[in-house]
Amino acid sequence: MKTIVIDAGHGGSDPGATYQGSQEKTFNLSIALNVQRILSQNYEVEIIMTRTSDVTLSLGARTQLANQRNADFFLSIHNNAAGGSGFESYIYNGPLVPTTQAYQNTIHDRIINTVGPKYNVSNRGKKEANFHVLRESDMSALLLEILFVDNPGDLALLKNSSFINDVSRSIAEGVADALNLPGKTQPQPAPGDLYRVIAGSFRNRENAENRIEFLANQGIASFVVQTTISGTVYYRVQAGAYEQEKNAKDQVARLKSIGITGAFIVRETGTTPPTPAPEPPQEEGYSILGDQYLNACQLDDFVKTVNPDAPDLGRFYMKYGNAYGIRGDIAYAQAIHETDYFRFTGLVDADQNNYAGIGATGPGNPGATFSSPEEGVHAQIQHLYAYASTEAIPTGYAKVDPRFDLVSRGSGKTWIQLNGKWAVPGTTYGQSILSIYERNIDHAIEEMDQQKQVLQDVLEEL
């Protein structure tokens, strides 16, 4: 089994490149941990991380670790600065281990061929340099400069979870190809009844991969199972297989608690697979209509982790979300995405009370203005309702969205289906919203765990 050292550049007291409050070290670690997880889940390989948290680590300590463990490959993940845009990779500009250049070619090409066309990332080329981690590593070593932290366009991609997932997977698959890593095979169940838990079923494999990334961030392992029903290919995300039906139901309940309302169980009897049932009407992403899982306080508390001066709007998203049957907690994530955590760094100003960019099409046309924060939230929820439903506006509520009648009713029932509709071209618009929502869920869970610990401490003192 081959051994790979993954090095998340900088860390601790060394932030790396910084720009407008963003620090390179954070992006490096996020990508490195994703690469570690993807490789460990899918390939027969030993992964050693130079760091898995925000700690200070010298360059010498990083290469010494790799040399002591007699690693087969050293991969250092960084992001660039000081002007420019795009992706580049580096090997040592001196004597090389023979496989080094071949590894660079394979990994570099896989990355740029994945993120280049999809995200318009420019290819800055395969380069050489006298970097410590390249020079002092006894094995083949490669340093990646993913994007430029101080370029606003590149920085927006680094804050986009879909880009992070795609670039991480392309790195992992490039490494696997370069080093010819054997893939892991899924264990086969013993004969008997088996209850498979499906955490999503998609016609688009990329959406299934995004679901796997989300589950992994929640500590739930899953993988794609392809199935064909009535001539249509579906990509199911399997998140467990159990001999006891109760255990499968417990897993479904867990999935629903983190927002995956469409989870279901497939039962197999003996060694004969069941006759496949029609797939549920699922989900290119979460549906816009549906239940809310976070409360107003959890929404407002989350946004203040980034912008302490953000207005308290959570109660309005709960109110109008309930009235229209819209997932107001995800609509709140949409507002965060549109307003940059209510800092209004784009076209719309704070005094417009326009939290979703309704009518904003470019410089000189900043969109609609609403009379109050509550009306602005109401208009956003109503605009979402126009996309997600063909029903009339609920009784007792006036039309406040000036573009309500311009929407093709029912044309966007999920958040990802808003791509190219709400935001043009917006190919990752819905995914960006869901990424923020998932981080809000993580923050809420962390707060609840802290509150639980405080209560336990109080009980112990009684």
Side-chain angles (χ1 to χ4, degrees):
M1 181 183 294
K2 292 180 179 176
T3 300
I4 297 173
V5 172
I6 300 178
D7 172 42
H10 305 285
S13 61
D14 175 13
T18 60
Y19 181 71
Q20 295 183 347
S22 295
Q23 297 181 323
E24 177 194 350
K25 65 178 182 179
T26 304
F27 301 125
N28 298 345
L29 182 60
S30 175
I31 296 169
L33 290 173
N34 266 344
V35 174
Q36 175 203 28
R37 175 178 52 76
I38 294 166
L39 285 172
S40 298
Q41 286 182 351
N42 295 285
Y43 299 96
E44 297 290 346
V45 63
E46 180 184 5
I47 304 294
I48 299 169
M49 303 294 291
T50 59
R51 67 181 182 98
T52 57
S53 60
D54 187 21
V55 297
T56 305
L57 197 66
S58 70
L59 296 175
R62 299 167 196 257
T63 52
Q64 183 179 14
L65 173 65
N67 294 338
Q68 288 177 342
R69 297 295 294 269
N70 196 28
D72 297 285
F73 183 54
F74 184 95
L75 177 68
S76 191
I77 295 174
H78 286 255
N79 280 275
N80 233 323
S85 173
F87 166 75
E88 60 193 22
S89 66
Y90 287 87
I91 57 177
Y92 180 42
N93 63 357
L96 295 171
V97 176
T99 54
T100 304
Q101 198 161 36
Y103 288 175
Q104 181 187 30
N105 289 337
T106 299
I107 297 167
H108 183 108
D109 290 348
R110 173 60 72 96
I111 295 168
I112 200 63
N113 289 339
T114 300
V115 302
K118 184 172 182 178
Y119 298 98
N120 197 29
V121 172
S122 60
N123 183 359
R124 296 173 58 88
K126 303 165 187 174
K127 301 182 178 181
E128 299 179 355
N130 187 23
F131 295 143
H132 175 97
V133 294
L134 302 178
R135 182 183 66 248
E136 300 300 326
S137 300
D138 294 340
M139 68 296 302
S140 291
L142 179 67
L143 186 143
L144 306 178
E145 294 279 9
I146 306 299
L147 291 176
F148 281 71
V149 173
D150 58 354
N151 178 290
D154 283 11
L155 181 60
L157 287 179
L158 290 170
K159 292 181 177 180
N160 181 332
S161 67
S162 294
F163 173 81
I164 294 297
N165 289 339
D166 284 342
V167 76
S168 300
R169 185 166 294 279
S170 67
I171 294 169
E173 292 176 349
V175 169
D177 287 346
L179 276 72
N180 196 26
L181 299 179
K184 284 185 176 178
T185 56
Q186 296 296 333
Q188 296 299 311
D193 286 0
L194 191 71
Y195 300 88
R196 299 185 185 274
V197 176
I198 308 302
S201 186
F202 306 88
R203 288 184 292 273
N204 184 311
R205 187 181 181 99
E206 181 179 353
N207 293 330
E209 296 287 354
N210 288 336
R211 177 60 55 84
I212 288 173
E213 305 290 353
F214 169 66
L215 291 172
N217 291 333
Q218 305 297 319
I220 300 174
S222 59
F223 57 93
V224 172
V225 177
Q226 183 175 322
T227 186
T228 302
I229 298 174
S230 301
T232 301
V233 175
Y234 292 90
Y235 300 96
R236 287 175 168 176
V237 177
Q238 182 170 316
Y242 303 89
E243 295 180 356
Q244 301 296 323
E245 185 177 16
K246 178 184 180 302
N247 294 335
K249 288 181 176 179
D250 288 344
Q251 180 73 330
V252 168
R254 181 184 178 191
L255 293 168
K256 289 183 176 180
S257 74
I258 61 173
I260 301 177
T261 58
F264 61 98
I265 297 171
V266 174
R267 180 183 177 184
E268 295 182 4
T269 302
T271 58
T272 304
T275 301
E279 293 294 292
Q282 171 93 278
E283 284 188 319
E284 290 177 316
Y286 296 169
S287 62
I288 292 173
L289 296 172
D291 297 330
Q292 302 175 126
Y293 293 96
L294 298 173
N295 61 42
C297 291
Q298 290 168 332
L299 300 179
D300 292 332
D301 287 348
F302 170 70
V303 78
K304 285 180 169 59
T305 63
V306 175
N307 177 15
D309 298 323
D312 291 327
L313 300 177
R315 66 190 188 280
F316 298 137
Y317 283 91
M318 294 293 99
K319 174 182 176 179
Y320 291 102
N322 285 328
Y324 284 81
I326 296 288
R327 297 185 185 216
D329 48 359
I330 306 183
Y332 190 89
Q334 181 187 30
I336 288 175
H337 175 72
E338 289 280 354
T339 65
D340 189 17
Y341 289 82
F342 300 103
R343 293 178 293 196
F344 299 96
T345 56
L347 296 173
V348 178
D349 294 328
D351 57 8
Q352 291 178 247
N353 299 314
N354 184 348
Y355 306 117
I358 294 174
T361 58
N365 188 9
T369 295
F370 301 100
S371 62
S372 67
E374 181 172 0
E375 185 180 74
V377 174
H378 186 185
Q380 178 188 349
I381 296 294
Q382 198 172 85
H383 200 59
L384 286 166
Y385 185 75
Y387 275 109
S389 173
T390 57
E391 300 294 327
I393 292 173
T395 303
Y397 290 94
K399 186 185 294 181
V400 295
D401 169 25
R403 301 184 64 81
F404 185 88
D405 294 324
L406 301 178
V407 173
S408 177
R409 298 297 307 279
S411 62
K413 295 182 181 296
T414 73
W415 296 95
I416 289 175
Q417 287 174 353
L418 295 180
N419 293 354
K421 297 184 178 74
W422 198 297
V424 180
T427 55
T428 60
Y429 182 72
Q431 292 92 326
S432 297
I433 292 168
L434 295 175
S435 173
I436 294 171
Y437 177 60
E438 291 159 8
R439 294 201 298 273
N440 199 336
I441 290 175
D442 288 340
H443 180 261
I445 291 172
E446 182 179 344
E447 281 196 328
M448 287 188 291
D449 287 343
Q450 292 173 351
Q451 292 167 359
K452 180 180 178 181
Q453 185 59 55
V454 169
L455 291 175
Q456 288 175 337
D457 292 343
V458 171
L459 285 173
E460 290 176 0
E461 292 177 0
L462 294 178

